[in-house]
């Protein structure tokens, strides 16, 4: 009881802080500022409406300008349609049911669009995400209510230390020539597990490949439906595609992040529209729309007879929509029943179409980035749990420092790895990095257990290149700059781009612009990313390669890889303060994005106050990869 009470309290602290920060960001901001922060679409045009279940209509809208701004309007989000004519009065709330490109559909609880929809410019604001918090809270409360009872979820007993996971050792080892020994061992452990198995997948070790084969093997053995979830839509999309490619019947619940034809065909919406009974739905919806259209003719200046006629028409439309609802439910039940794998985000596992389902096994991918309360939403639906991820990479983003310090940043994956070492299989062969790029990360984070596969162990940009470089700016006077709370180092950025320019010149003899290696220029600090992006515009020699160069924060690159990675460390000050560079898991992510070359630019005097960086500099020296920034001055 105490375990879940503590988790609930942490979740409430996080919710309060998230809401406070959201209100601070939105209440005093203009619509242009909200749009720039990804919290609004404005202006938008209404492209159509149609009747939906109950008293709802579906409204399809399109943003008509500023279409290149990234945004947070996603499937399932609570939103508000408003008119700039009188935004305080002219507004109505709804839920996003589809979002793709510059179009989205939203459900609004109303018979018809309000009159003000014809006045002024329209926009959509993202509302605070109460729904996700409600779902997480309900799941933790449900786990707490089950404690000690017969129907208690096995995972609850394990995380509270009242039980250990068990394994059926009689199940023979899994073999598959496509997988290496550690990957086969991971699949074996998953098949043997009765309650819990953990796949620890360091960078580049083929965690997704392993999971897909394990899911395939479980379905072949048990023929039972499996729920596969992850904290992000992107991770769910990747697994959905890979599982479908293996010939499994996959049902993707919710909206994919990537709107590819391949992915869309796996979604519930797409499968419903292709179902043999969907033609009947279209006809019924058309009839309901006609009745509502007739009712709208009585909208202005009518007496009692017209009012009754209008009501009769709406009643008829409702009756038809009830038939639509029944037919849709029949189709959904049919599709869900036939699916071998259901994929969703953690919160999406409670989507109304699959809310009541139970599964034998739930697989949680990217569990190292998942908030624990969100994990309990799918866990309560299953007897057996497979956690996959890497607790040595970035944890989930937590808004409340208090909640993080009191334990919310400690993920379920971390807890289970510590509590249940017998359930853990670490994948130990990586297929991404040169040996020297991998070496330091393997030693510090993975007990020197990683090995590089033969196909990548010695791969270089060209025969004479070196795969690692540390460029030391100590003594150059490249002091960091502080603006408000943001930190940058423009001189370090200029040096980094100068080095990249020299490297590009060196590689021109080996590659054409079309097959030029991919480059990531990354930094832990957002302001430094902005400085790098701005300076990059003025380096003429790099202009032909802009399509190959990505500049962003370390966090945004988790899960990605590039041929060449530059890291700008930024911190350089007399007090040797390194701030959140002390979170060495972020550096693990940064260093392990590179395939063939890793270049780190930083001030050894400031960085070396932490042994992690001092030891890395020694590692670079042992590889003859240490350079002073002075070597690159004219």
């Amino acid at each position: 009881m105490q375990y879940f009470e503590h988790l609930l309290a942490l979740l409430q602290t996080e919710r309060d802080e998230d809401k406070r920060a959201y209100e601070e960001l939105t209440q005093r901001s203009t619509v242009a500022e909200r749009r720039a922060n990804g919290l609004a679409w404005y202006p938008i045009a209404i492209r159509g409406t149609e009747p939906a279940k109950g008293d709802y209509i579906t409204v399809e809208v399109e943003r008509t300008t500023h279409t290149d701004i990234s945004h947070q309007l996603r499937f399932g989000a609570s939103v508000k349609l408003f008119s700039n004519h009188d935004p305080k009065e002219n507004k109505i709330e709804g839920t996003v049911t589809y979002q793709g490109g510059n179009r989205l559909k939203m459900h609004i609880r109303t018979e018809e669009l309000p009159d003000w929809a014809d006045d002024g410019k329209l926009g959509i604001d993202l509302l605070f995400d109460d729904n996700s918090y409600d779902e997480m809270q309900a799941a933790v409360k449900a786990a707490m209510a089950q404690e000690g009872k017969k129907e208690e979820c096995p995972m609850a007993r394990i995380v509270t230390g009242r039980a250990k996971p068990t394994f059926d050792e009689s199940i023979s080892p899994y073999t598959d020539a496509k997988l290496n020994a550690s990957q086969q061992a991971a699949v074996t452990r998953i098949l043997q597990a009765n309650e819990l198995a953990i796949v620890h997948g360091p960078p580049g070790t083929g965690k997704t490949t392993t999971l897909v084969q394990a899911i395939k093997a479980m379905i072949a053995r048990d023929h039972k439906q499996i729920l596969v979830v992850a904290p992000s839509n992107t991770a769910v999309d990747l697994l959905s595609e890979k599982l479908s490619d293996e010939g499994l019947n996959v049902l993707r619940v919710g909206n994919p992040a990537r709107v590819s034809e391949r992915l869309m065909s796996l979604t519930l919406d797409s499968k419903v529209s292709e179902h043999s009974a969907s033609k009947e739905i279209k006809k019924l919806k058309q009839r309901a729309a006609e009745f509502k259209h007739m009712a709208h003719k009585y909208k202005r200046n009518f007496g009692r007879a017209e009012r009754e006629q209008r009501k009769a028409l709406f009643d008829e439309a409702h009756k038809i929509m009830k038939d639509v609802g029944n037919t849709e439910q029949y189709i959904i039940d049919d599709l869900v029943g036939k699916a071998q794998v259901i994929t969703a985000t953690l919160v999406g596992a409670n989507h109304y179409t699959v809310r009541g389902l139970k599964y034998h096994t739930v697989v949680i991918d990217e569990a190292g980035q998942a908030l624990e309360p969100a994990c309990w939403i799918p866990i309560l639906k299953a007897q057996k749990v497979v956690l996959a991820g890497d607790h040595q990479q970035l944890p989930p983003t937590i808004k409340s420092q208090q909640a993080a310090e009191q334990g919310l940043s400690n993920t379920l994956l971390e807890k289970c790895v510590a509590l249940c070492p017998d359930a853990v299989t670490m994948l130990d062969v990586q297929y991404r990095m040169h040996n020297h790029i991998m070496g330091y990360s393997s030693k510090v984070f993975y007990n020197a257990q990683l090995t590089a596969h033969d196909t990548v162990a010695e791969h270089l940009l060209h025969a004479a290149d070196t795969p690692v470089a540390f460029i030391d700016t100590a003594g150059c006077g490249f002091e960091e700059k502080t603006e408000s709370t943001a930190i940058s180092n423009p001189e370090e950025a200029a040096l980094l781009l100068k080095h990249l320019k020299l490297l590009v010149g060196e590689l021109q003899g080996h590659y054409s612009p079309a097959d030029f290696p991919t480059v990531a220029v990354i930094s832990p600090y957002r302001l430094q990313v902005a400085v790098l992006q701005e300076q990059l515009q003025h380096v003429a020699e790099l202009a032909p390669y802009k399509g190959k160069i990505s500049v962003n924060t370390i966090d945004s690159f988790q899960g990605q890889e590039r041929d060449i990675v530059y890291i700008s460390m930024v911190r350089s000050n007399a007090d040797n303060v390194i701030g959140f560079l002390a979170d060495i898991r972020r550096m693990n992510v940064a260093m392990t994005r590179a395939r063939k070359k890793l270049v780190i630019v930083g001030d050894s005097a400031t960085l070396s106050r932490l042994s992690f960086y001092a030891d890395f500099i020694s590692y670079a020296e042992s590889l003859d990869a240490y350079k002073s920034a002075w070597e690159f001055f004219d």
Side-chain angles (χ1 to χ4, degrees), residues 7-21:
L7 196 55
L8 266 181
L10 292 178
L11 182 61
Q12 189 60 50
T13 303
E14 173 69 359
R15 183 180 195 152
D16 292 344
E17 174 56 27
D18 196 4
K19 193 161 193 171
R20 185 202 63 75

Side-chain angles (χ1 to χ4, degrees), residues 180-249:
N180 65 45
S182 66
Q183 290 172 329
Q184 291 180 62
V187 177
T188 300
R189 208 54 174 158
I190 288 170
L191 293 173
Q192 292 175 339
N194 294 319
E195 304 87 6
L196 172 66
I198 300 167
V199 180
H200 179 195
T205 53
K207 171 176 61 69
T208 303
T209 301
T210 307
L211 278 186
V212 167
Q213 294 309 316
I215 291 162
K216 203 175 165 188
M218 282 190 283
I219 287 169
R221 288 178 67 89
D222 304 326
H223 304 289
K224 287 176 179 166
Q225 197 173 61
I226 292 177
L227 174 64
V228 178
V229 290
S232 73
N233 274 305
T234 308
V236 177
D237 290 350
L238 178 64
L239 275 164
S240 301
E241 275 190 313
K242 300 272 188 196
L243 289 162
S244 178
D245 289 344
E246 288 290 325
L248 296 172
N249 182 344

Side-chain angles (χ1 to χ4, degrees), residues 563-574:
D563 295 317
I564 303 163
V565 170
Y566 277 82
I567 308 172
S568 174
M569 300 299 290
V570 179
R571 301 313 296 258
S572 177
N573 54 74

Side-chain angles (χ1 to χ4, degrees), residues 326-401:
N326 293 337
T327 310
E328 276 184 342
Q329 197 56 55
Y330 158 75
I331 295 173
I332 288 164
D333 292 345
D334 186 43
L335 291 168
V336 168
K338 286 175 181 167
Q340 292 170 297
V341 183
I342 290 174
T343 63
T345 59
L346 296 164
V347 176
N350 243 7
H351 186 260
Y352 77 93
T353 52
V354 292
R355 185 180 279 272
L357 292 186
K358 295 285 182 191
Y359 309 85
H360 181 266
T361 303
V362 59
V363 177
I364 303 179
D365 192 19
E366 303 295 0
Q369 286 188 278
L371 273 183
E372 183 181 346
C375 290
W376 286 100
I377 299 168
I379 286 172
L380 292 175
K381 298 173 182 292
Q383 282 298 300
K384 170 171 158 177
V385 177
V386 178
L387 297 176
D390 183 11
H391 50 291
Q392 300 295 356
Q393 293 188 59
L394 285 169
T397 302
I398 292 167
K399 310 277 171 55
S400 164
Q401 197 174 343

Side-chain angles (χ1 to χ4, degrees), residues 539-597:
V539 185
E541 295 87 343
L542 296 178
Y545 304 95
K546 270 189 189 166
K548 298 284 186 175
I549 302 170
S550 312
V551 185
N552 217 325
T553 60
I554 292 171
D555 298 41
S556 71
F557 270 100
Q558 180 147 313
Q560 297 186 48
E561 56 187 71
R562 296 290 190 275
D563 295 317
I564 303 163
V565 170
Y566 277 82
I567 308 172
S568 174
M569 300 299 290
V570 179
R571 301 313 296 258
S572 177
N573 54 74
D575 301 321
N576 295 338
V577 173
I578 63 168
F580 82 155
L581 291 188
D583 182 357
I584 59 174
R585 287 183 296 184
R586 182 171 274 103
M587 279 312 293
N588 185 33
V589 171
M591 291 172 170
T592 56
R593 299 309 94 199
R595 293 189 195 111
K596 299 178 181 178
K597 191 173 186 75

Side-chain angles (χ1 to χ4, degrees), residues 296-347:
H296 292 163
K297 289 179 179 174
Y298 294 101
K299 202 166 180 178
R300 311 210 189 274
N301 306 321
F302 52 84
R304 186 178 166 190
E306 287 85 356
R307 194 176 292 115
E308 284 176 4
Q309 182 63 24
R310 187 175 195 259
K311 185 181 180 303
L313 289 164
F314 272 128
D315 287 347
E316 191 58 35
H318 285 157
K319 210 188 299 177
I320 293 167
M321 286 310 293
K322 199 170 181 186
D323 290 340
V324 167
N326 293 337
T327 310
E328 276 184 342
Q329 197 56 55
Y330 158 75
I331 295 173
I332 288 164
D333 292 345
D334 186 43
L335 291 168
V336 168
K338 286 175 181 167
Q340 292 170 297
V341 183
I342 290 174
T343 63
T345 59
L346 296 164
V347 176

